Amino acid sequence: MTEEEDYDHIMGVLREERITPYNEDELETVLSIGHCINCGLCLQHCPVVAGVGVERFSGPRSIAVELSRSPPEFWATGDKVFLCTGCGTCREVCPKNVEVPEIVNMIRARIFEHRPDLVPQELHSVDKTLLEHGLAFAPWEDLEDKAESRDMRLERLNLPFYPNRVKERAEVLFYPGCQAEERAQEVREAGKVVLEAFDVDYTLLGDFNCCGLPAILLGDDKTARELAKHLKEKVGALGTKKIVTTCAGCTSNLSYLSERDGWDIPVYHTLEYLIEEIGIESLTEKLTQSEDTQSVTVHSPCHLIRHMSRQLAEYAAQIIEAMPNAEYTESNLHDSCCGGGGMVGYHSPDVAQGVVEENLRAIERTGVSRVVAPCPLCTAHIEEMLFRTGSSVEVDDLTVFIAQRLPKKE
Amino acid sequence: MDLDTDVLVIGGGMAGLAAGIRSQERGANTTLIRKGQSATSYSSGAIDVSGYLPGGSQQLLSAREGIEAITSLYPLHPYSILGFGSADNDDVPGLAIERVGQAVEWLTKHLKSTPAQLYGGIDSNLEGITLVGTKKPTALLQQTIWPGEFAVDDEGVMLFLGIKGVSDLNPKIASKTFLDNQARTGEPPHKVGNASLDIAPFGHGYNLSTTNIARWLDREENLVTFIEQVKKKAEQFGATYVALPPILGLEENLKNQKALQEATGASVFELLAFPPSVPSFRLQRGLERVFIEKGGHLLIGHEAEPCGIESSKITEVLARSPRRKVEITTRSVVLASGKYIGGGLAATVEGLRETVFGLMTVTDEFRESGKTRPQRLTNVVSLSPESHSLFGCGLSVDQFLRPVNPDGDATAENLFAAGSILAGYSYAMEKCGLGVALATGHYAGETAAANATGGGV
């Protein structure tokens, strides 16, 4: 047999045994799992374990020492690994740098490939949308309806509408993310308002597509890589120097892709762009008085503070403290997962609810009238959960909250 | 991302946080970075200062006695280094006791307003009771772990009360071990009982952890049911002491203990725990809160990027988080990155290595250990009073806790080390781990702050 035939033969055997070899970029994660010392510190901190108990979700330690160890048996773990919200708390407390959030995605990918019947049904519908439209949510059928919904939101929030710009060689590509593109359109517009206020030379994508994070989280590695490839081509064609996004998940995933796939472009969340590129002084100068004093607390998205850096929570606090008549109070659980991560809410809303319950109580305890989150997905999730508990606390995306306090252009 | 700070602390366990809090108190802006929790989060709820003499044979009656003996016998023990002081100091034990004692009082004061409130001091070692029914000597116990004094003629009953589904405490075995020990020593209480509660917080009485129950008890509505059940059992046994696994709460343990004592009339307390534990969670979080309240900047999830020391001063450290980098400029650095679990020291076949700055490491006998295979530093018997030399390895430091190079000079004039990364003591054998971390952290924080704000040590 030639070398090629050998290779094909081995791949055939592996396929038969339902084993997918690890990708080059997954090796570091795989090796990190071997460092687990089985101490169980992560179990004390995991918000899913805290919310629903170790019987329902066996927790990060179990993922590291049991569920991730035997490739042919990954699919026997489906009822557990799909309950991880990917918040990264375990990795943050782990003394041995075990990459549990990443290994969860890898196991999910193998379940998806070999035993798709064990992937929660709801995730297959998301996958179908991703395949059909390159978006996490089905696009609006009627674009006029979409525009109407957008205008209603802008009117309610008192935000201006600036025409969309698509041009080559702009300094910044503004990438709103699927949630802001299709659903929370006010966040997309707010992002534009922020960039306009500081005369940033920016562009949007002519043809928006998802960064692929939902595909990674539900296990469709192939689609995830495909979406990332399309995006890389589009970004390359535009020739921008920076990417700015309003979504926590997109920021973290695009930062990862930019490094993994050699995009060679830095990715910023709006908060980072404001603090690091615009500067707090210039921002403070522009911030206008709102009509009434607002007491505000912040929810810190996992994808910003644990998948990137905790400095970002401080950026959020800095910005709110710079606002005239906004009073900032920190919630002692500002950094705990909203329950909306890891696609868990799609198929196990009871788990998502269990995870967020403590956060909601902490938000209520602060006594604020408004909670803001620098992520449209967290915002939507917390809003829904607070609404269900009959709370009077209002919820806003942080980019919207900032945009409302910036001067409108003539 | 850039940051500027007076003092940068690397490591967020007892040593790092003590250094950070102290430095902040002394007027230096302090940033603490940590990647992962470690030894402090694995502690039992006791803060050992000096439990046994090196060699493990002699149990000490007080930490004061221990420090006095250690500083007289072992001149390079971290406690002895704390006692060096200036050149004209001829009372090393005296200064060491003063500094450790101050640190202990200082910590007790700071943790008073947290769930990790402490009881004890260096003048008398307490005996904490463990989950397996044994006792261990320690200087400080968390308040909710302190069972109270046993009177000589105590006629009381000790009830070991387990919780169905929480495997940490097997009340039957613990009570038997405890009773055997009491019979052997003749100490009260002589009457011991055991029972279990069925509280099922997630609707089932199996596969539960102490943290689950502690969180559950933090909610006021659950306490009422719990008190009723404990009261019933206490009355049934006529218990004057009720020993529970460490479950009284992550936040509300002090309040819960009080409510339970009032309802039962007995001393209700928690047993010393296996790692990682509810008490260690309270300690870690308590220390972090104090640091933040003092205005310290806690940057969790950031790891110091390895770098060499090129000049006699460290001015910049790069901290890496999963997808970002923070450049930190600083005037003093406290290295409290821990030992093997914390990651401050790496032991590989090539030898022992300090992981951030590549500092010189030494064995417990203060020989250079950069090329010593760690296997050669272990004992054939895994559990022996001699412990393992490997535990005594680490950094050799000068009287200001600055790591030294092979010539005995400070490697960098503004780099201080504290906690388990120091060489010359065996926490496992001497039962002094958190005590050394606290006292050296406290002192390193002071010197680092003085160096950053006043210039020079």
Side-chain angles (χ1 to χ4, degrees):
Chain A
M1 277 200 282
T2 66
E3 217 169 273
E4 242 163 60
E5 283 167 346
D6 273 347
Y7 181 79
D8 289 342
H9 173 71
I10 290 168
M11 291 308 278
V13 173
L14 289 176
R15 226 179 346 264
E16 237 167 73
E17 296 286 333
R18 295 174 170 172
I19 295 172
T20 306
Y22 297 122
N23 288 310
E24 196 80 23
D25 51 55
E26 291 172 333
L27 286 180
E28 210 175 306
T29 303
V30 175
L31 291 174
S32 86
I33 298 301
H35 296 146
C36 173
I37 53 171
N38 204 359
C39 72
L41 197 56
C42 49
L43 289 176
Q44 280 197 327
H45 295 265
C46 171
V48 183
V49 170
V52 300
V54 82
E55 183 64 22
R56 176 85 192 273
F57 177 61
S58 54
R61 173 173 71 177
S62 146
I63 289 170
V65 298
E66 298 163 351
L67 310 186
S68 60
R69 292 297 168 105
S70 170
E73 286 159 18
F74 282 155
W75 43 92
T77 69
D79 58 335
K80 302 286 184 227
V81 289
F82 279 101
L83 294 182
C84 167
T85 61
C87 70
T89 307
C90 48
R91 177 174 61 190
E92 193 174 68
V93 297
C94 178
K96 293 289 160 193
N97 293 1
V98 176
E99 287 282 357
V100 174
E102 309 297 331
I103 200 83
V104 163
N105 295 339
M106 287 172 49
I107 302 173
R108 288 182 183 181
R110 277 142 186 93
I111 296 174
F112 186 93
E113 188 179 349
H114 298 292
R115 288 296 304 272
D117 55 316
L118 296 173
V119 175
Q121 211 43 54
E122 295 81 354
L123 299 187
H124 280 296
S125 357
V126 179
D127 193 53
K128 209 168 140 238
T129 311
L130 281 167
L131 281 169
E132 267 173 38
H133 307 288
L135 289 168
F137 309 104
W140 291 72
E141 277 174 21
D142 187 338
L143 286 180
E144 267 174 42
D145 287 352
K146 184 180 178 184
E148 201 178 308
S149 162
R150 178 197 68 207
D151 293 341
M152 273 167 62
R153 285 162 186 261
L154 294 182
E155 198 186 320
R156 181 172 59 82
L157 296 161
N158 192 23
L159 285 174
F161 172 72
Y162 297 118
N164 291 330
R165 300 192 205 166
V166 180
K167 61 179 227 184
E168 283 179 18
R169 314 238 152 260
E171 173 80 9
V172 163
L173 165 67
F174 173 50
Y175 182 87
C178 297
Q179 177 83 7
E181 191 72 28
E182 293 300 322
R183 298 202 162 177
Q185 292 186 70
E186 70 278 15
V187 179
R188 180 181 190 267
E189 299 311 316
K192 283 159 59 185
V193 171
V194 170
L195 296 171
E196 295 273 359
F198 295 98
D199 298 315
V200 177
D201 173 27
Y202 74 94
T203 174
L204 290 149
L205 280 176
D207 174 27
F208 181 86
N209 83 248
C210 172
C211 71
L213 182 60
I216 295 175
L217 294 174
L218 65 88
D220 189 353
D221 189 50
K222 201 174 135 224
T223 303
R225 284 174 196 269
E226 206 114 301
L227 289 167
K229 200 177 127 222
H230 289 165
L231 200 53
K232 184 183 176 182
E233 284 162 8
K234 290 177 195 172
V235 172
L238 277 174
T240 53
K241 295 193 190 76
K242 291 165 185 159
I243 299 177
V244 174
T245 162
T246 42
C247 170
C250 296
T251 319
S252 124
N253 192 45
L254 292 175
S255 299
Y256 167 67
L257 294 177
S258 174
E259 197 180 319
R260 185 192 75 183
D261 300 344
W263 294 19
D264 216 20
I265 300 176
V267 181
Y268 300 80
H269 186 271
T270 329
L271 291 178
E272 290 178 290
Y273 194 76
L274 282 171
I275 297 282
E276 293 172 11
E277 299 295 312
I278 305 288
I280 189 78
E281 292 82 13
S282 316
L283 175 63
T284 311
E285 260 172 42
K286 286 249 158 96
L287 286 169
T288 56
Q289 200 96 351
S290 65
E291 279 160 27
D292 45 355
T293 304
Q294 297 262 5
S295 54
V296 186
T297 190
V298 179
H299 167 79
S300 306
C302 302
H303 272 285
L304 284 192
I305 59 164
R306 274 182 294 268
H307 291 270
M308 300 211 291
S309 166
R310 286 221 173 221
Q311 273 294 91
L312 281 137
E314 278 162 50
Y315 287 0
Q318 262 180 48
I319 291 175
I320 290 175
E321 277 169 351
M323 289 175 176
N325 51 4
E327 282 165 9
Y328 169 66
T329 313
E330 191 181 271
S331 149
N332 63 351
L333 285 178
H334 72 94
D335 56 352
S336 181
C337 175
C338 73
M343 317 286 282
V344 173
Y346 283 83
H347 54 86
S348 304
D350 60 317
V351 174
Q353 170 109 28
V355 170
V356 76
E357 258 170 22
E358 283 296 322
N359 299 18
L360 301 185
R361 265 193 285 271
I363 290 170
E364 293 284 354
R365 272 201 303 272
T366 59
V368 298
S369 59
R370 190 172 295 265
V371 52
V372 295
C375 172
L377 279 159
C378 296
T379 306
H381 199 250
I382 291 178
E383 189 166 26
E384 191 190 328
M385 291 295 174
L386 276 171
F387 178 73
R388 274 199 220 158
T389 62
S391 164
S392 63
V393 177
E394 294 188 71
V395 190
D396 260 330
D397 184 278
L398 181 51
T399 309
V400 171
F401 196 67
I402 298 169
Q404 284 174 322
R405 281 150 189 80
L406 287 172
K408 288 174 193 148
K409 277 189 173 174
E410 291 310 314
Chain B
M1 286 188 185
D2 297 330
L3 262 179
D4 180 68
T5 188
D6 290 332
V7 174
L8 170 69
V9 180
I10 302 171
M14 173 65 92
L17 283 160
I21 297 166
R22 191 62 182 152
S23 149
Q24 189 71 33
E25 266 181 354
R26 284 297 175 102
N29 286 322
T30 308
T31 299
L32 186 151
I33 57 170
R34 81 154 156 83
K35 167 65 196 80
Q37 298 187 359
S38 92
T40 301
S41 300
Y42 293 133
S43 59
S44 62
I47 294 179
D48 304 335
V49 176
S50 186
Y52 293 85
L53 277 187
S57 49
Q58 184 69 40
Q59 185 173 333
L60 296 158
L61 293 176
S62 73
R64 179 184 289 274
E65 182 192 56
I67 300 164
E68 186 146 5
I70 285 168
T71 46
S72 315
L73 297 168
Y74 304 93
L76 294 174
H77 192 286
Y79 285 151
S80 308
I81 292 168
L82 288 177
F84 282 173
S86 58
D88 54 359
N89 174 38
D90 51 11
D91 184 13
V92 172
L95 183 60
I97 289 170
E98 190 189 317
R99 280 189 172 154
V100 178
Q102 274 170 1
V104 166
E105 268 174 37
W106 171 86
L107 180 75
T108 309
K109 188 185 90 201
H110 281 316
L111 289 179
K112 203 166 168 66
S113 57
T114 74
Q117 193 185 104
L118 298 171
Y119 179 86
I122 63 161
D123 291 322
S124 174
N125 269 345
L126 310 168
E127 282 196 320
I129 306 171
T130 73
L131 278 168
V132 287
T134 56
K135 292 180 185 171
K136 69 164 266 181
T138 187
L140 299 150
L141 286 172
Q142 279 185 24
Q143 188 67 48
T144 48
I145 297 178
W146 168 237
E149 295 285 353
F150 302 118
V152 187
D153 54 350
D154 201 322
E155 290 295 311
V157 178
M158 170 79 72
L159 173 64
F160 283 86
L161 196 51
I163 288 164
K164 215 176 141 201
V166 176
S167 57
D168 297 41
L169 174 64
N170 180 328
K172 218 173 189 169
I173 293 175
S175 60
K176 189 172 177 308
T177 310
F178 183 78
L179 189 59
D180 286 351
N181 189 47
Q182 298 303 92
R184 192 163 46 77
T185 59
E187 285 170 15
H190 305 295
K191 293 179 199 143
V192 179
N194 69 80
S196 282
L197 301 177
D198 192 353
I199 51 172
F202 296 106
H204 55 76
Y206 49 88
N207 212 355
L208 296 166
S209 73
T210 48
T211 317
N212 287 150
I213 314 281
R215 270 212 184 88
W216 183 80
L217 271 180
D218 277 343
R219 310 257 302 269
E220 211 168 348
E221 63 262 35
N222 298 325
L223 184 65
V224 187
T225 353
F226 186 73
I227 289 179
E228 265 170 41
Q229 290 208 34
V230 174
K231 200 176 163 197
K232 219 162 98 192
K233 293 285 180 196
E235 279 169 4
Q236 196 183 330
F237 284 83
T240 49
Y241 301 96
V242 179
L244 290 162
I247 46 121
L248 287 179
L250 297 175
E251 293 287 343
E252 304 295 346
N253 52 317
L254 289 157
K255 201 185 94 210
N256 292 348
Q257 182 190 38
K258 201 160 157 246
L260 280 160
Q261 316 231 56
E262 271 167 17
T264 58
S267 156
V268 181
F269 65 98
E270 299 170 304
L271 295 163
L272 284 172
F274 307 130
S277 68
V278 166
S280 59
F281 186 101
R282 295 193 295 241
L283 175 63
Q284 178 75 37
R285 197 193 256 179
L287 289 167
E288 286 175 7
R289 274 191 201 158
V290 175
F291 178 61
I292 292 166
E293 271 163 27
K294 295 277 169 203
H297 180 203
L298 180 64
L299 200 48
I300 294 173
H302 287 67
E303 188 168 16
E305 189 86 334
C307 62
I309 298 177
E310 270 144 35
S311 68
S312 62
K313 226 171 167 176
I314 297 168
T315 51
E316 204 177 283
V317 173
L318 190 66
R320 188 188 278 274
S321 63
R323 274 157 208 170
R324 288 292 182 265
K325 284 177 202 163
V326 187
E327 266 180 28
I328 305 173
T329 45
T330 181
R331 280 158 280 291
S332 287
V333 179
V334 176
L335 184 66
S337 46
K339 219 168 211 125
Y340 308 110
I341 284 182
L345 291 184
T348 64
V349 283
E350 278 100 43
L352 290 183
R353 188 167 50 81
E354 186 282 310
T355 53
V356 181
F357 299 108
L359 300 164
M360 176 184 77
T361 59
V362 297
T363 66
D364 60 335
E365 289 169 333
F366 288 82
R367 294 206 180 93
E368 225 185 305
S369 61
K371 290 194 176 114
T372 314
R373 290 174 66 124
Q375 291 91 321
R376 301 183 53 152
L377 300 166
T378 57
N379 209 319
V380 278
V381 188
S382 60
L383 288 172
S384 88
E386 278 84 46
S387 180
H388 300 277
S389 308
L390 196 61
F391 295 153
C393 298
L395 304 179
S396 178
V397 291
D398 69 7
Q399 76 266 38
F400 300 111
L401 298 178
R402 292 180 302 193
V404 296
N405 59 24
D407 300 328
D409 301 325
T411 320
E413 64 193 53
N414 63 343
L415 172 65
F416 307 85
S420 61
I421 198 163
L422 300 177
Y425 76 104
S426 174
Y427 54 92
M429 165 174 61
E430 298 171 39
K431 298 285 167 232
C432 64
L434 285 177
V436 167
L438 163 65
T440 54
H442 182 260
Y443 182 59
E446 247 171 47
T447 14
N451 181 63
T453 54
V457 291

